[in-house]
Amino acid sequence: MPIRIGIIGKTNAGKTTLFNSMTLLSAEVSNYPFTTKSPQSGVANVVTLCVHKEFNVKDNPVNSRCEDGWRFIPVEVTDLPGLIKGAWMGKGLGNQFLAVAAQSDALFHVVDASGSIDKDGKITEAGTGDPIADFADVELELVLWYVKLFTSNISKISKLVKTSKYSLADAVAEVLQGIGVKKEHVIRALSDSLLTEKNVENWNEKEIQNFCWILREVSKPTIILANKMDLPYAAENFQKLRETYKGLIVVPTSGEAELTLRRAEAKGLIKYVPGEERFEILKPQELNEAQKAALAYIKRKVFGEYLRTGVQFALNIAVFKLLKMNTIYPVADPEKLTDKQGRVLPDVYLMPTGSTVEDLARTIHSDLAKGLLYAVDARTGLRLPANYVLRDRDVLSIVSTARRG
Ligand SMILES: Nc1nc2c(ncn2[C@@H]2O[C@H](COP(=O)(O)OP(=O)(O)OP(=O)(O)O)[C@@H](O)[C@H]2O)c(=O)[nH]1
Ligand SMILES: [Mg+2]
């Protein structure tokens, strides 16, 4: 199952533009509020330095792609309908939202950092909107959905605790598992809100809201994307966002710049590796005036001030820093670094920090895990036991009675 990232935020913040720039899909974008009506998923990539150079071999990637020494590993991103204040009361949106939230491992919360959206979600002059308030409003919407769901399940939770061996944390996790809440999240939220010992039927409104607020935070790790960084006022608002939301990572982005570059790259007009801090025009004679102007604008406004569009950086930060994933390269032959078909370094897996050889075996195939004996480290040739904790960039061969993977 690939890692999933959901894109949330106020209407017109640029979510779909970012989504298109990551996936090269063409979902509808417009300057009208509420353009996106239903969630749409696509494939984006995270990028890491491939190990093939270190081993001095040429690779034949299968589950990923290698370009200029960079490994591109697929992840799933989902674009969501926009929100404004009060949206949680609407019926349809709420359910769609929770369904996607349930499936997301992390969220991008997109904010129009240039402040060019008014409170109703309409585009106005840059600098007149309030990105700090926009962020807070959407977060509140999200929490209110949690509150609504939680409140409607209080009697069920209470019953589970009374009539079975469920602890309060077990019961809450059971009831909210549909939105991706795990027991460890509930334990954290109960303890941080000082509610571990209090009968759930006696929680007051403020306690419920506080609990849900913490639960939202711990169960859905989130990065703020300060978008539209190419526009005026964005730099000031980016600083303000950083100062106001100190506990969160804020990444400056320009979805529109990334989209222009990725599409020009796809057409062969420029050479651009996402995440790199430059691009090169390959066919200047084939560019029309508008394309030339767009590229010059990007060079001046995006690469000049922020060094990159931020889009690839945000994806990488989400997966490697927020979700703490490591890259692991399983091979069948630890000397030749090949799979059974002789392909060199075919696959790379994203495994959470703390995962073991056994976890990796299980991720690749359940049979492999059943007959697991040990793994061989391709760098040292040493045997690694089933409980060996994987490290980033490990290249290893799993040895199992079931088969050699
Ligand atoms: N200058 C600038 N404009 C952008 C950027 N990203 C998006 N826009 C513009 O902002 C407007 C809204 O973009 P969308 O991608 O449709 O926004 P959305 O958040 O998906 O909107 P909804 O689907 O309505 O919630 C469009 O006019 C985009 O062209 C950016 O990085 N810079
Ligand atoms: Mg949209």
Side-chain angles (χ1 to χ4, degrees), residues 202-235:
N202 299 332
W203 293 10
N204 63 36
E205 221 169 283
K206 210 162 158 222
E207 286 169 331
I208 292 175
Q209 215 182 87
N210 192 20
F211 171 76
C212 286
W213 200 276
I214 300 169
L215 198 61
R216 175 265 173 275
E217 264 175 28
V218 297
S219 64
K220 291 290 162 218
T222 300
I223 292 181
I224 303 178
L225 267 53
N227 194 38
K228 308 196 189 178
M229 286 307 293
D230 54 292
L231 292 180
Y233 301 99

Side-chain angles (χ1 to χ4, degrees), residues 15-17 28 35-36 79-82:
K15 298 176 296 298
T16 303
T17 306
E28 189 184 351
T35 306
T36 305
D79 182 27
L80 285 157

Side-chain angles (χ1 to χ4, degrees), residues 76-255:
E76 188 178 291
V77 287
T78 305
D79 182 27
L80 285 157
L83 289 175
I84 56 164
K85 212 172 179 160
W88 71 277
M89 288 181 278
K91 283 179 197 149
L93 258 187
N95 295 337
Q96 277 186 359
F97 230 95
L98 288 174
V100 173
Q103 292 152 12
S104 301
D105 299 299
L107 297 174
F108 283 148
H109 184 150
V110 183
V111 181
D112 177 341
S114 70
S116 39
I117 323 176
D118 71 13
K119 63 178 186 356
D120 300 320
K122 294 206 185 73
I123 301 265
T124 64
E125 222 173 295
T128 57
D130 183 351
I132 308 284
D134 289 349
F135 177 82
D137 287 348
V138 169
E139 284 296 315
L140 182 62
E141 292 306 313
L142 206 57
V143 171
L144 290 176
W145 273 321
Y146 275 68
V147 168
K148 199 166 138 184
L149 195 71
F150 181 80
T151 310
S152 65
N153 277 298
I154 286 181
S155 54
K156 204 165 158 189
I157 294 168
S158 178
K159 215 162 149 194
L160 279 173
V161 172
K162 273 187 208 143
T163 58
S164 60
K165 288 191 218 95
Y166 278 69
S167 67
L168 179 55
D170 281 323
V172 176
E174 164 90 13
V175 162
L176 297 184
Q177 62 173 325
I179 57 166
V181 169
K182 301 207 171 74
K183 188 178 169 184
E184 69 251 32
H185 301 146
V186 182
I187 290 174
R188 252 292 287 287
L190 284 171
S191 131
D192 287 7
S193 55
L194 307 174
L195 289 165
T196 311
E197 305 295 336
K198 188 163 178 183
N199 183 340
V200 68
E201 292 197 70
N202 299 332
W203 293 10
N204 63 36
E205 221 169 283
K206 210 162 158 222
E207 286 169 331
I208 292 175
Q209 215 182 87
N210 192 20
F211 171 76
C212 286
W213 200 276
I214 300 169
L215 198 61
R216 175 265 173 275
E217 264 175 28
V218 297
S219 64
K220 291 290 162 218
T222 300
I223 292 181
I224 303 178
L225 267 53
N227 194 38
K228 308 196 189 178
M229 286 307 293
D230 54 292
L231 292 180
Y233 301 99
E236 287 126 84
N237 283 324
F238 166 60
Q239 285 309 337
K240 265 195 220 161
L241 282 162
R242 266 175 52 163
E243 281 156 24
T244 314
Y245 301 109
K246 283 211 173 72
L248 290 166
I249 302 171
V250 189
V251 177
T253 60
S254 175

Side-chain angles (χ1 to χ4, degrees), residues 15-26:
K15 298 176 296 298
T16 303
T17 306
L18 282 160
F19 171 81
N20 285 342
S21 81
M22 292 169 187
T23 59
L24 282 182
L25 293 172
S26 302

Side-chain angles (χ1 to χ4, degrees), residues 5 46-47 106 108 222-225 249-251 308 310-325:
I5 302 171
V46 291
V47 185
F108 283 148
T222 300
I223 292 181
I224 303 178
L225 267 53
I249 302 171
V250 189
V251 177
R308 42 169 108 92
V311 177
Q312 190 58 57
F313 185 67
L315 283 161
N316 291 348
I317 290 278
V319 169
F320 297 124
K321 196 162 169 183
L322 202 61
L323 298 173
K324 300 188 177 69
M325 293 290 162

